Amino acid sequence: MSIITRKDTVWLFDLDNTLHNASHAIFPAIMGRMNDYIARVLGDGTTPATPEQVEAARTGYWRRYGVTMLGLVKHHNVDAAHFLHETHNLEQLHSMIRAETGLRQLLRRLPGRKILLTNAPHRYSTKVVRHLGLQRQFSHHVAVEAMTVHGKMRPKPSRLLLRSLLRRQQLRPGRCVLVEDTLANLRTAHQLGIRTAWVTQYLTQEDTAGMAHQQKRLIRPAYVDVKVKSVRQLPARLHHLR
């Protein structure tokens, strides 16, 4: 029986650049705030770090840990809550959100339970989900602050995080589908037996710069079960998730 015909299917949905277009305005705004923050952290207290130093730290920590914040916490004693507030507290957030219509109806049509699994902070992701009208579609909302295993932060693509989530929610990997824009997260999920759906329409040249060859070229790797331009195409591709 196809996994998607069962009501016990659990969909793990990413948020940014999966359910809405974060690259349009939100990511540039967060990136600017993040760069300013890192420049202060890496500076000498008077002179901020150079743009080259900031870029190297931001991208390097992102590749190594899944989120830049974790590298700053580990290596520079940055307070995670302060960093998240400073970088994601966008006053004009609602006007910056761009998303397709019909998302609520789409989620309702997908059989099974839905969990929001995002490396974004809870306050920010809650505002976005409410603006999209999707808050009632998710049984659980797992933001980056809750991504801890044995007291340590383990954001996506951490295998420990996904194993912990499966254990806490009493889920079998083969009954889950991760819907994501980031290949690293999909690769980890596939290794654990979770089905994978790759959403590509919101990826920009800036998003893919320096990333894996497949992500930059939008080539579907073997660990991706379904590649879709939009989440709205998921219902038509369900027969591929077996």
Side-chain angles (χ1 to χ4, degrees), residues 33-34 37 40 81-90:
R33 287 171 170 260
M34 192 178 295
Y37 193 103
R40 295 194 300 270
H82 183 261
F83 174 82
L84 292 172
H85 175 76
E86 290 294 306
T87 56
H88 287 75
N89 186 28
L90 306 176

Side-chain angles (χ1 to χ4, degrees), residues 11-21 98-110 114 116 132 134 138 177-182 186 196-202 226-238 241:
W11 299 84
L12 309 174
F13 272 94
D14 178 48
L15 178 62
D16 292 333
N17 274 359
T18 297
L19 291 173
H20 73 109
N21 185 359
R98 296 291 186 278
E100 297 176 287
T101 59
L103 290 179
R104 180 168 24 184
Q105 292 76 13
L106 164 71
L107 294 183
R108 284 177 177 171
R109 290 202 311 270
L110 290 177
K114 291 89 182 178
L116 188 69
L132 297 175
L134 302 179
F138 297 106
V177 181
L178 177 64
V179 186
E180 265 274 0
D181 66 299
T182 303
L186 294 169
T196 53
W198 184 26
V199 180
T200 64
Q201 74 169 334
Y202 298 133
V226 168
K227 173 189 169 186
V228 293
K229 182 177 180 181
S230 162
V231 293
R232 296 181 66 179
Q233 296 174 348
L234 283 175
R237 305 296 303 279
L238 294 181
L241 294 168

